[in-house]
Amino acid sequence: MKFMIVGKGNAVTEAGELPPQELVDAMHAYNEALAKAGVLLAAEGLLPSSEGAQIAYSGGRASVLDGPFAESKELIAGFWLIQVKSREEAIEWALRVPVPPGHDGIGLDVWRVFDPSDPLDETLPEEERDRALHAHLRGDVPGA
């Protein structure tokens, strides 16, 4: 199963301030532990939202909104993509992420990534499992 661990942004990450060397070292050690365990697929830090853009849709038309974006607490500062055996294992890894200064109360998100090769959830009612199986075989992505 693939999971994305998402680090949230704050005023410090939005200001583009570099983290202290101790945190950089701790993040490198964490990434090395993920790699050694064979679960790391990707890990990236993101630049401030002033370097980004959002695409908004209205009436079937797209418009581009340039950053920076006002609500830094709704932004992400980085992510890890891992492949593990269970949600519990993903959470165990997330609990080991070094906590940056100034991130009290911010936390992380742990999201399961849709993967058509994942086994189906046998705890679903039969009708839902049948629908999920058909979608699985077609390679449909939920919400797309």
Side-chain angles (χ1 to χ4, degrees), residues 68-143:
F69 306 110
E71 291 293 325
S72 63
K73 66 182 179 186
E74 295 177 6
L75 300 174
I76 63 172
F79 67 90
W80 293 265
L81 184 62
I82 61 175
Q83 188 157 20
V84 293
K85 292 182 176 84
S86 68
R87 176 179 178 268
E88 292 73 26
E89 184 180 356
I91 290 170
E92 286 175 22
W93 279 108
L95 289 169
R96 294 176 59 186
V97 171
V99 179
H103 272 67
D104 290 347
I106 295 177
L108 300 167
D109 288 337
V110 179
W111 294 94
R112 185 161 176 201
V113 176
F114 177 78
D115 187 339
S117 66
D118 282 345
L120 294 173
D121 183 351
E122 295 299 324
T123 63
L124 291 174
E126 187 173 351
E127 187 175 308
E128 284 183 53
R129 195 169 52 243
D130 288 346
R131 275 197 302 272
L133 176 59
H134 289 288
H136 183 80
L137 294 173
R138 289 191 307 269
D140 291 350
V141 178

Side-chain angles (χ1 to χ4, degrees), residues 21-35 40 80 98:
Q21 188 60 47
E22 304 83 49
L23 178 60
V24 172
D25 294 343
M27 288 290 185
H28 283 298
Y30 175 71
N31 291 344
E32 286 177 18
L34 288 166
L40 182 63
W80 293 265

